[in-house]
Amino acid sequence: MALDDDDSIHVVRDARDGAIRRRGLIGHRGLLSREVVTFAGLPVTSPAETWVDMGELIRPGMPLGLDDLVVMGDAVATRLGSVDPLHEALSARVAPRGKLTLLEALTWIRVGSESPGETRTRLVLVRAGLPEPELNQPIVAVGDRWLGRPDMRWVAQRALLEYQGREFHDSDEQRAQDKVRFQRFGDDGWSVIEVWDEDVNTDAARMALVLRAAEELGQPREGLELTDIHPRFFSTRMLELAEIRARRMRARGC
């Protein structure tokens, strides 16, 4: 994400307190309206509240976009076991910044994703029109024999997908372990779609991934939405409003 190189500390205070002006700190107001929890001995806003606060960084010229909110939302929902806390935190705010993008992100957030790569892969596939997968569910063969817990699975099609981040899966030892695990799945009748970082980094790679997954899932190419495979930064409603404003300006001769 675009925040990776930002080491600023964001501090939320009571609206009645003065603004913070100190190098390396960014001040915010509204602490009393947020749920506060303790982490590592420090009072911090709860994960759901923090997700809503990210809406302040959603607009032209700012570092975060729609898909970043989905990635963060997946992580929070998976940790909390439900998307409901995100809905509740957002609905409790009065006119929060980035509300349109936060609302659209909620429609894409799911419980079960365990990495940003998994989330971004799922968004590519589902937006292209492929069926929603089950996320990180165990596969047990006949006789209660444990086979593994793939990142995604489509039970009806007997297909599963594993996102292989280069950082953790590129060593010879890990590749050998993965090969054995994939063979167990194959012996039980499951096809394995193996996805690497570079498979979701360009439009050409994303299209190839969608076509490969569609073939495994038995989905005809003519039913795919191949124009929707690119990452999304702005919400659909934000783009609609921008187009409305542009039409009005053109009508005025601006």
Side-chain angles (χ1 to χ4, degrees), residues 5 23 32 46 57 86 91 108 111 117 130 133 156 167 190 209 211 215 219 235 241 245 248:
D5 297 326
R23 180 177 298 178
L32 293 182
S46 71
L57 303 179
L86 298 175
S91 63
W108 294 105
V111 174
L130 296 177
E167 182 177 357
W190 294 85
L209 169 61
L211 295 177
E215 183 176 1
Q219 301 290 309
S235 70
L241 292 174
R245 288 193 294 269
R248 288 174 178 172

Side-chain angles (χ1 to χ4, degrees), residues 37-38 49 77 102 119 131-132 139 144 147 155 163 183-184 188 201 238 241 250-251 254:
V37 298
T38 300
E49 297 281 9
L102 289 163
T119 294
E132 281 262 0
I139 294 181
D144 292 331
L147 298 182
V155 175
Y163 181 85
Q183 186 61 53
R184 289 201 302 265
D188 196 52
N201 286 342
M238 285 181 68
L241 292 174
R250 289 195 295 269
C254 299

Side-chain angles (χ1 to χ4, degrees), residues 237 239-249:
R237 185 55 180 160
L239 293 174
E240 290 173 348
L241 292 174
E243 178 58 28
I244 291 172
R245 288 193 294 269
R247 286 202 300 267
R248 288 174 178 172
M249 292 180 67

Side-chain angles (χ1 to χ4, degrees), residues 173-227:
E173 180 182 358
Q174 187 59 53
R175 281 175 177 264
Q177 293 178 9
D178 289 337
K179 184 177 180 179
V180 171
R181 187 160 56 93
F182 294 167
Q183 186 61 53
R184 289 201 302 265
F185 289 132
D187 290 343
D188 196 52
W190 294 85
S191 61
V192 180
I193 304 167
E194 191 174 4
V195 179
W196 293 86
D197 299 334
E198 58 270 22
D199 292 325
V200 292
N201 286 342
T202 67
D203 279 345
R206 286 186 285 267
M207 181 175 293
L209 169 61
V210 168
L211 295 177
R212 179 158 51 102
E215 183 176 1
E216 292 291 350
L217 297 174
Q219 301 290 309
R221 176 171 180 158
E222 54 268 23
L224 301 175
E225 299 289 343
L226 295 177
T227 59

